[in-house]
Amino acid sequence: MSYVNPLHPQVDPSQISHYSTLEGAIVTTTPLSPTRHTLPQQSFIPNSKWTRAMGQNVRLHPAIHFDYIGYNGQGVQMRELFARSNAAIAAMIKGARDEVLSHVERERISFRIIWPGYEHVESCDQLAINANGCHITRGQLGKNVAKCFARFMEKARNEHSRSYEWNLRSSGIRFEHLVLVALTNVWEGVWQADVVVDLRQETDVVVRQGPADSPTPRSYYKYPS
């Protein structure tokens, strides 16, 4: 799907999404298992009526998906993205070196987290995507998103939650349970993550032969097809 400049004519009504959550706006390609639950984030909407009026007909960019090589629609564990080097991520993630936002005519995007029950906890990071002629890759973008979630969870654990199910203290949800499935453009210049929470206690491990400092990871987490 090619990028369309926001200055072009208005979008046909049939192409405008009326979903209010990321869960509804994104269709996963593989059914979730009983232990995997989509995080039901509300889609960001600006407070300003003028901003809403000006941006509601802007055509948005296609979602950016994250998967291990050989899998489709399963996502990538955020702790892998957070901890691995760029070289290791490139050996694990499908299309990790793709410059996925090179067509976006801006240097930064706003990345927002709206965790259910913690809507009052502000989380808006400015991520550099096209700076000094360098375009961010899928792997680098995934790592930056994982860092944003790690900081958010550390901050939000000390805040009051309005949701029992998604309470970060009582539910047992930890950073290592988060799986990044996609990054979605929800408003002009604003992106949110499509996230799955995987509460499995045991995970299948694929072991690869190689030295400890090899850019190819010695193990990574495999999701059922």
Side-chain angles (χ1 to χ4, degrees):
M1 182 176 181
S2 61
Y3 169 71
V4 177
N5 193 297
L7 296 179
H8 283 190
Q10 291 187 349
V11 181
D12 185 88
S14 64
Q15 295 179 297
I16 299 175
S17 172
H18 299 286
Y19 288 109
S20 60
T21 65
L22 298 184
E23 182 178 9
I26 298 174
V27 179
T28 54
T29 57
T30 304
L32 299 181
S33 73
T35 59
R36 304 186 81 205
H37 306 279
T38 300
L39 182 68
Q41 292 187 82
Q42 289 292 321
S43 182
F44 169 77
I45 299 176
N47 292 325
S48 167
K49 292 183 179 180
W50 185 86
T51 303
R52 292 199 300 268
M54 293 298 293
Q56 63 182 354
N57 290 326
V58 171
R59 184 172 296 181
L60 303 177
H61 301 286
I64 299 168
H65 296 273
F66 297 84
D67 267 303
Y68 290 108
I69 295 172
Y71 292 86
N72 186 40
Q74 298 294 328
V76 176
Q77 281 201 337
M78 286 198 197
R79 67 176 176 182
E80 295 276 18
L81 293 166
F82 182 88
R84 301 282 187 180
S85 67
N86 288 333
I89 290 173
M92 298 165 57
I93 307 304
K94 185 188 303 182
R97 292 190 173 92
D98 294 346
E99 296 179 349
V100 289
L101 290 173
S102 60
H103 59 283
V104 178
E105 297 177 349
R106 59 175 67 230
E107 291 188 354
R108 298 176 180 273
I109 60 172
S110 295
F111 176 68
R112 288 185 174 269
I113 300 173
I114 307 179
W115 192 283
Y118 294 90
E119 291 85 357
H120 58 289
V121 180
E122 177 71 16
S123 179
C124 180
D125 291 275
Q126 300 298 311
L127 304 183
I129 59 169
N130 298 313
N132 301 320
C134 298
H135 306 301
I136 197 167
T137 65
R138 189 190 313 270
Q140 293 168 341
L141 185 60
K143 177 180 280 290
N144 288 344
V145 169
K147 289 179 179 178
C148 291
F149 267 93
R151 289 194 298 266
F152 171 80
M153 294 190 76
E154 184 69 23
K155 175 183 177 181
R157 285 189 189 280
N158 299 318
E159 300 287 341
H160 171 73
S161 172
R162 303 186 182 99
S163 170
Y164 175 79
E165 181 180 4
W166 301 102
N167 188 308
L168 292 174
R169 284 184 290 183
S170 62
S171 68
I173 297 174
R174 301 187 301 274
F175 176 68
E176 52 264 38
H177 295 141
L178 303 187
V179 178
L180 176 61
V181 177
L183 198 62
T184 304
N185 186 195
V186 297
W187 200 266
E188 184 178 10
V190 181
W191 296 70
Q192 288 176 251
D194 179 26
V195 176
V196 163
V197 177
D198 190 345
L199 296 175
R200 280 178 295 182
Q201 296 298 315
E202 298 180 1
T203 315
D204 295 326
V205 177
V206 176
V207 178
R208 295 180 175 180
Q209 301 299 322
D213 59 351
S214 169
T216 301
R218 302 186 68 176
S219 67
Y220 67 90
Y221 293 91
K222 180 181 70 173
Y223 296 109
S225 57

